[in-house]
């Protein structure tokens, strides 16, 4: 028998709906390469993590592809927007699909959920596919426009294999 309670919560709980809308907005900003606006979606203490070990939660003491705090996110945005890095000059065109939202913990102040993400990147006649499970912690503000991402962890399905260079954010 299928448990529909979790799926129902995505569509009936306004807190979860707000979190999902923020996540979709983030995906849209990334696909449009609006990195300056993208970084405003994060709290000052947020971490953006792409671990190599899919099973770890100890990001401080393990190797990660990305482990960005606010300062590192800001530096990454500068590299991607000022035209000095190859990633900024010859960036891939991307399209993200974020779906299969599963609420893990919901309060009036915060929503924690998991989602599946598929990202297709096209550059120089080649398509690369990035797939993974993403864990989000969303802090809810007084209004939906005040909601922010407090943590984003992307567990790529092929994280321990050689991955193509990513001149974009996942």
């Amino acid at each position: 028998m299928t448990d529909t309670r979790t799926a129902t919560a995505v569509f009936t709980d306004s807190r979860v709906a707000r979190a999902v809308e923020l996540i979709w907005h983030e995906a849209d900003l990334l696909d449009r390469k609006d990195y300056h606006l993208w970084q405003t979606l994060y709290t000052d203490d947020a971490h953006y993590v792409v671990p190599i070990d899919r099973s770890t939660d100890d990001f401080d003491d393990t190797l990660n592809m990305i482990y960005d705090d606010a300062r590192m996110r800001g530096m990454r945005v500068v590299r991607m927007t000022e035209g000095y890095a190859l990633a900024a000059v010859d960036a891939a065109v991307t399209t993200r699909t974020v779906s299969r939202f599963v609420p893990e913990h919901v309060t009036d102040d915060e929503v924690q959920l998991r989602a599946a993400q598929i990202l297709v990147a096209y550059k120089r006649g080649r398509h690369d596919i990035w797939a993974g499970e993403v864990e989000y912690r969303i802090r809810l503000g007084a209004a939906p426009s005040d909601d922010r991402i407090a943590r984003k962890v992307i567990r790529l399905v092929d994280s321990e294999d050689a991955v193509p260079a990513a001149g974009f954010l996942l």
Side-chain angles (χ1 to χ4, degrees), residues 8-35:
T8 303
V10 172
F11 299 107
T12 60
D13 189 316
S14 63
R15 299 166 299 180
V16 175
R18 283 172 58 172
V20 170
E21 288 174 10
L22 177 61
I23 291 164
W24 283 339
H25 180 57
E26 180 201 27
D28 180 57
L29 291 176
L30 288 170
D31 284 338
R32 290 189 291 123
K33 297 176 180 46
D34 192 342
Y35 300 123

Side-chain angles (χ1 to χ4, degrees), residues 90-146:
D90 190 24
V93 175
T94 60
T95 300
R96 289 162 179 75
T97 301
V98 187
S99 188
R100 201 228 332 112
F101 294 98
V102 179
E104 297 280 334
H105 184 73
V106 179
T107 68
D108 288 340
D109 300 322
E110 190 171 271
V111 174
Q112 294 178 26
L113 51 83
R114 292 181 292 112
Q117 176 176 276
I118 305 292
L119 184 153
V120 178
Y122 179 76
K123 181 175 176 177
R124 296 187 200 135
R126 176 187 162 131
H127 291 89
D128 287 311
I129 298 174
W130 300 70
E133 179 154 296
V134 187
E135 300 163 9
Y136 294 93
R137 189 168 67 230
I138 307 297
R139 286 196 192 133
L140 302 176
S145 61
D146 300 323

Side-chain angles (χ1 to χ4, degrees), residues 17-70:
R18 283 172 58 172
V20 170
E21 288 174 10
L22 177 61
I23 291 164
W24 283 339
H25 180 57
E26 180 201 27
D28 180 57
L29 291 176
L30 288 170
D31 284 338
R32 290 189 291 123
K33 297 176 180 46
D34 192 342
Y35 300 123
H36 290 289
L37 187 54
W38 166 80
Q39 70 180 343
T40 69
L41 299 181
Y42 282 76
T43 63
D44 291 339
D45 63 340
H47 281 92
Y48 169 84
V49 186
V50 182
I52 291 175
D53 178 356
R54 289 179 44 81
S55 63
T56 192
D57 286 319
D58 181 9
F59 308 120
D60 288 332
D61 293 322
T62 58
L63 186 61
N64 301 288
M65 286 178 57
I66 299 172
Y67 186 38
D68 287 359
D69 58 9

Side-chain angles (χ1 to χ4, degrees), residues 78-94:
V78 167
R79 284 193 310 272
M80 296 176 75
T81 58
E82 290 191 354
Y84 300 114
L86 182 59
V89 174
D90 190 24
V93 175
T94 60

